[in-house]
Amino acid sequence: SLECGSSSPETTVPIKNIERELICPICKELFTHPLILPCQHSVCHKCVRELLLLNHEDSFDAGSECSLPGSPGPRSRVPSPSMERLDRLARSAGSISSPGWRRGSVTPRVTTFPCPGCQHDVDLGERGMSMLFRNFTLESIVERYRQAARAAVAIMCNMCKPPQQEATKSCMDCKASYCNECFKFHHPWGTPKAQHEYVGPTMNFRPKVLMCPEHEMEKVNMYCEVCRRPVCHLCKLGGSHANHKVTSMSSAYKILKEKLSKSIHYLISKEDQVRTQISHLEVLINETEENGQVAECGAYEHFERLFQTLQERKSEMLNSIEQSRTRRLEQLRGQVEEYQGMLENSGLVGYAQEVLKETDQSCFVQTAKQLHTRIAKSTESLRTFHPAANPSFDEFVLETSREETMLKELCFGGVPEPPIIDLSRSHVYNEGLLCWQLAEDTLATDHQVLEYRRLGAEQDGDSRWRLTDRVYGPSTVVCDLEADSLYSFRVRSCRNSLYSPYSPEVTFHTPPAPAFGFLFNDNCGFSSERLALSRRRDSVESMAGMAFLLAAERVQTGSYMGLDYIIGDTGISQGRHYWAFRVEPHSYLVKVGVASDSKLLEWFHNPRDTSSPRYDHDSGHDSGSEDTCYDLSQPFTLLTVGMGKMFLPKASISAGSDHGDHSNRVLPMPQRIGVCLDYDAGRVYFYDADTMRCLYERQVDCSGTMYPAFGLMGSGKVHLEEFITEKRLSYM
């Protein structure tokens, strides 16, 4: 039988045993023309198409299939009119807004969807599915699996006249299968076709060379380590991978194959451990089944007791109601009979009329006295009429709302597990965004309660825990935090009035000033040739593309230095303000800090091309002139960050230190960098935003309007923190 193995014979496994790896996570069927998503998971071509164009499934024809190298159908690409129309609609909609931030009435084509494997958002951009590679390796494995599953079904020759013969080989160049006679006839000896590559009979024909989906005429010959995908030389020269680290395809092949082989051998060497863990899991499965049955029986018994108690109380109440009803009816009916006797010629009145006919005085007096007493009582009852019984049964009306609430709040899950605060997604400024992960529990919680307190405030008598309102989600915002203070946070869950234990406490240090909200300015001095700005204007990336190379080519001697500046779209003219950002670790050179409007005008209007080996118009590299007068207040301050390091200016080092020793000037680059500008005091501070440790400070001339400033060169990327951009983006 066919087998799929690793690099050594002893590690081969039957191909029928790997079916679970060949199932598409969307359609739950074997992969058909699988595509590799940017997150490295694979999805069927048709499934991606359905996700992207749910409302336009019928708009695709053969042209869309041919947009992928090696896809079934004609080799030439014939774009369909409907596809071109959709592409134009997507581009025009994309120019109006990005997904999730649209303002116009045009609905753009969907280009973002969550990966079914890892749930990360996959953004295909304007090129859509054409930017994705076919997973030919997975496709070949699926084909071998299909052949193993239908071993009795032979692949027939495509060239034989009826009756067709069984194929013995397939030509990868002709994309056809042949029997022995037809193969010899169509591939005669001594002709170019005799050099074609042939394999065993197969239905899966893939291209001999993988082509770049972005540059369709170019072969992929490099591997981008940032995006983890093959690229061509045009992608690296001036495309989307210009600033990314790439390696040769042969080197990437060797490294990845070695890693995969080592991983496979490691797993095989741990086979006994895996089998032990499988046995343990099987025991847990049996225990789960048994415990589930026990819990089910226990719940049944509890409810039966509740039903029995309710039935007893029901019988008691119904009996009481019946006895009260009978007693009242008897009383009311007796009163009716009494009143009927007051009517003429009936009852008491008729009897009195007969007594009046008595002529014997002594006999009349003997009878009339007792009769008069009865008639007097009847007369009095007419004046003060009262029913003998109350027809209302209000005393038997049940108020069961409290009991119903108690029944609804019956606790079956016990005490819930405590949530865990997610430090990677939680950020604290003058307001705090706290995120947590709920326990992987089978039962949902009702709500969460976040508590926080300011540490070191015992002397102020303000060290008590403060509670937020109930939170019905995995995050909340805490307002009005004091600046430059250390806060402790904890959270717990509630289910059925039972609270979980508190999560482990986490501490955050608030910045020394309120958060300053801004986005990158795409008008003032912004160079679209050398800087790529995100649609939301919250991140910027420098592109060392063709324009940079052409400018550097004109420099024959010395070194070429050119910084591309970009600033915030909001200036500062008073007060204290703080902002934070991230610089990508692969960035070559990035300047971060503040600059005045007058200095920015000088930078933006300065000629860019220069061949001076000691010139840079940020005054940071002009033969040390800035170092000699660094104590003087300048209208700007920029710190250099790059290659995973942060470089402090020379003048910030003590005079007794060795200026040739750079070790005390170089710090590891923080994951998040914070900047605080005190405009009134004319001072700027640089922080490690995770620990709020001040790394550097200096005087700055704040005579004009100050702006957050960034300079990038070569390759680099800066992301503004979410809390810095959140308010601005909410109004866009």
Side-chain angles (χ1 to χ4, degrees):
S1 62
L2 290 173
E3 293 184 343
C4 175
S6 62
S7 58
S8 58
E10 67 272 15
T11 62
T12 58
V13 295
I15 196 168
K16 291 184 179 180
N17 295 347
I18 64 173
E19 178 178 0
R20 60 180 298 175
E21 302 294 333
L22 311 180
I23 300 297
C24 173
I26 296 180
C27 63
K28 306 301 181 184
E29 298 178 357
L30 290 176
F31 281 107
T32 304
H33 310 312
L35 303 179
I36 303 177
L37 302 179
C39 57
Q40 305 303 303
H41 292 101
S42 295
V43 180
C44 290
H45 176 273
K46 60 181 178 61
C47 295
V48 177
R49 182 178 60 189
E50 291 171 358
L51 285 174
L52 292 178
L53 296 173
L54 294 175
N55 299 326
H56 305 283
E57 290 181 2
D58 297 331
S59 298
F60 282 83
D61 56 9
S64 65
E65 294 285 345
C66 296
S67 65
L68 297 171
S71 58
R75 296 295 295 170
S76 60
R77 182 177 181 180
V78 184
S80 64
S82 58
M83 185 63 190
E84 292 179 344
R85 179 176 59 83
L86 287 173
D87 282 339
R88 288 196 300 270
L89 176 61
R91 285 192 294 269
S92 62
S95 63
I96 296 175
S97 62
S98 60
W101 300 94
R102 57 191 180 93
R103 290 177 288 179
S105 59
V106 179
T107 302
R109 184 178 66 171
V110 178
T111 61
T112 302
F113 61 92
C115 170
C118 60
Q119 298 304 315
H120 285 89
D121 286 339
V122 177
D123 189 356
L124 302 183
E126 294 185 359
R127 293 184 57 83
M129 296 168 60
S130 63
M131 70 161 287
L132 300 177
F133 280 104
R134 282 263 298 275
N135 193 338
F136 290 109
T137 302
L138 176 58
E139 199 166 332
S140 300
I141 297 174
V142 171
E143 177 62 24
R144 294 205 299 272
Y145 174 83
R146 293 183 188 274
Q147 292 181 13
R150 60 168 189 265
V153 180
I155 297 177
M156 308 306 293
C157 176
N158 300 133
M159 302 300 171
C160 282
K161 295 181 180 180
Q164 289 180 309
Q165 300 295 317
E166 184 177 343
T168 58
K169 54 179 66 70
S170 297
C171 179
M172 301 304 293
D173 295 276
C174 300
K175 305 293 186 294
S177 298
Y178 301 88
C179 63
N180 285 332
E181 295 300 324
C182 290
F183 185 81
K184 293 177 182 179
F185 178 78
H186 289 280
H187 298 77
W189 185 259
T191 64
K193 285 191 173 183
Q195 306 299 321
H196 283 189
E197 177 186 359
Y198 64 91
V199 296
T202 182
M203 299 293 292
N204 179 43
F205 299 100
R206 65 181 186 182
K208 300 176 66 175
V209 179
L210 195 62
M211 308 300 288
C212 177
E214 188 170 352
H215 308 95
E216 299 178 3
M217 302 304 294
E218 299 294 331
K219 303 175 183 178
V220 293
N221 53 8
M222 290 179 286
Y223 180 78
C224 177
E225 296 185 359
V226 177
C227 301
R228 296 183 298 173
R229 60 176 292 167
V231 296
C232 69
H233 69 283
L234 291 181
C235 293
K236 175 59 180 173
L237 184 61
S240 58
H241 305 269
N243 302 324
H244 297 174
K245 183 179 180 180
V246 299
T247 59
S248 65
M249 190 63 69
S250 59
S251 176
Y253 170 80
K254 181 179 178 181
I255 293 174
L256 292 176
K257 188 169 187 179
E258 182 179 356
K259 288 183 179 180
L260 182 59
S261 299
K262 287 182 178 180
S263 300
I264 293 174
H265 284 297
Y266 175 80
L267 290 177
I268 294 174
S269 66
K270 299 294 182 180
E271 184 173 349
D272 293 338
Q273 180 180 346
V274 173
R275 293 186 184 278
T276 301
Q277 293 175 351
I278 291 175
S279 301
H280 179 62
L281 291 174
E282 290 175 348
V283 171
L284 293 179
I285 290 174
N286 294 331
E287 291 181 357
T288 302
E289 291 180 350
E290 295 175 358
N291 294 338
Q293 293 177 356
V294 171
E296 185 177 298
C297 294
Y300 180 81
E301 293 176 358
H302 282 295
F303 277 106
E304 283 298 318
R305 286 199 293 269
L306 289 175
F307 293 154
Q308 184 178 356
T309 302
L310 287 174
Q311 189 65 38
E312 293 175 355
R313 297 295 296 160
K314 174 184 175 182
S315 299
E316 293 176 3
M317 177 159 283
L318 292 179
N319 289 334
S320 299
I321 293 174
E322 178 62 24
Q323 293 175 5
S324 178
R325 183 172 62 87
T326 301
R327 184 178 65 256
R328 296 182 190 191
L329 287 175
E330 290 177 354
Q331 293 174 350
L332 290 173
R333 285 169 181 165
Q335 192 175 16
V336 169
E337 291 177 359
E338 182 181 351
Y339 274 70
Q340 284 179 344
M342 299 180 190
L343 299 177
E344 185 178 5
N345 299 323
S346 65
L348 181 63
V349 175
Y351 175 66
Q353 290 174 344
E354 292 297 326
V355 171
L356 288 175
K357 295 177 181 180
E358 178 63 48
T359 57
D360 189 306
Q361 295 181 356
S362 58
C363 291
F364 176 81
V365 170
Q366 181 184 12
T367 305
K369 180 61 177 176
Q370 190 264 346
L371 181 61
H372 180 267
T373 301
R374 291 180 59 193
I375 291 177
K377 289 182 178 180
S378 299
T379 303
E380 182 65 22
S381 66
L382 287 175
R383 294 193 188 99
T384 59
F385 174 75
H386 291 290
N390 186 359
S392 173
F393 283 76
D394 291 342
E395 65 269 30
F396 293 100
V397 175
L398 291 177
E399 172 54 44
T400 60
S401 58
R402 184 172 63 89
E403 288 76 9
E404 290 176 3
T405 302
M406 292 176 62
L407 288 174
K408 291 178 181 179
E409 293 181 351
L410 278 177
C411 180
F412 303 109
V415 178
E417 292 292 327
I420 303 297
I421 296 180
D422 190 346
L423 296 178
S424 62
R425 297 189 298 127
S426 300
H427 303 294
V428 173
Y429 299 92
N430 51 306
E431 295 180 346
L433 171 64
L434 276 301
C435 305
W436 52 82
Q437 295 178 348
L438 300 177
E440 295 182 0
D441 201 348
T442 55
L443 298 176
T445 57
D446 297 333
H447 62 271
Q448 287 76 41
V449 176
L450 178 72
E451 299 183 6
Y452 64 99
R453 65 176 177 176
R454 187 163 67 96
L455 301 179
E458 291 79 4
Q459 62 275 17
D460 301 334
D462 192 22
S463 60
R464 67 185 187 281
W465 287 98
R466 303 179 185 177
L467 279 68
T468 62
D469 294 333
R470 292 182 176 183
V471 181
Y472 300 94
S475 64
T476 188
V477 174
V478 181
C479 302
D480 300 327
L481 299 178
E482 295 189 18
D484 199 15
S485 299
L486 191 63
Y487 281 87
S488 181
F489 297 87
R490 65 185 185 185
V491 65
R492 59 176 176 170
S493 299
C494 178
R495 183 199 298 130
N496 299 327
S497 300
L498 290 179
Y499 283 91
S500 71
Y502 286 105
S503 66
E505 293 184 23
V506 298
T507 57
F508 289 95
H509 200 296
T510 57
F516 179 60
F518 67 91
L519 297 172
F520 285 119
N521 194 325
D522 57 354
N523 295 319
C524 182
F526 173 71
S527 172
S528 59
E529 294 181 353
R530 294 176 295 274
L531 294 179
L533 196 59
S534 65
R535 291 182 178 179
R536 300 201 302 173
R537 294 194 291 124
D538 59 348
S539 66
V540 63
E541 182 177 11
S542 63
M543 301 180 298
M546 187 62 69
F548 187 86
L549 291 177
L550 291 176
E553 190 272 336
R554 290 194 290 270
V555 179
Q556 302 299 324
T557 60
S559 62
Y560 176 82
M561 297 289 289
L563 283 172
D564 294 302
Y565 288 98
I566 188 169
I567 62 174
D569 61 356
T570 306
I572 299 172
S573 58
Q574 62 178 355
R576 287 168 57 90
H577 303 275
Y578 175 88
W579 59 94
F581 50 87
R582 291 183 294 109
V583 177
E584 287 290 342
H586 70 267
S587 300
Y588 175 67
L589 190 152
V590 178
K591 296 270 191 175
V592 298
V594 295
S596 67
D597 49 2
S598 59
K599 192 65 179 178
L600 290 170
L601 289 175
E602 176 186 337
W603 287 346
F604 291 147
H605 291 84
N606 211 34
R608 286 190 47 82
D609 295 338
T610 176
S611 59
S612 170
R614 298 291 293 166
Y615 178 83
D616 184 9
H617 43 255
D618 71 345
S619 299
H621 300 278
D622 56 350
S623 303
S625 61
E626 185 179 287
D627 296 333
T628 59
C629 58
Y630 205 83
D631 291 335
L632 300 178
S633 181
Q634 300 284 343
F636 69 96
T637 293
L638 296 175
L639 243 59
T640 302
V641 179
M643 302 176 66
K645 306 292 182 182
M646 173 180 280
F647 302 88
L648 302 182
K650 292 181 181 180
S652 63
I653 309 301
S654 60
S657 61
D658 182 9
H659 289 278
D661 181 14
H662 298 282
S663 59
N664 54 357
R665 296 180 51 214
V666 180
L667 302 176
M669 183 176 70
Q671 292 186 354
R672 298 164 53 236
I673 301 174
V675 179
C676 177
L677 176 64
D678 190 337
Y679 186 93
D680 301 328
R683 202 157 189 84
V684 63
Y685 306 83
F686 295 85
Y687 291 88
D688 181 339
D690 288 326
T691 62
M692 288 312 300
R693 181 170 67 95
C694 184
L695 305 175
Y696 174 70
E697 64 174 292
R698 72 152 294 178
Q699 200 75 17
V700 64
D701 181 10
C702 296
S703 56
T705 302
M706 305 298 291
Y707 290 86
F710 303 84
L712 299 92
M713 189 188 75
S715 65
K717 193 169 186 180
V718 179
H719 305 269
L720 297 181
E721 279 289 310
E722 180 181 359
F723 254 75
I724 303 300
T725 61
E726 181 181 19
K727 293 183 178 179
R728 300 299 306 277
L729 289 174
S730 62
Y731 295 106
M732 293 182 63

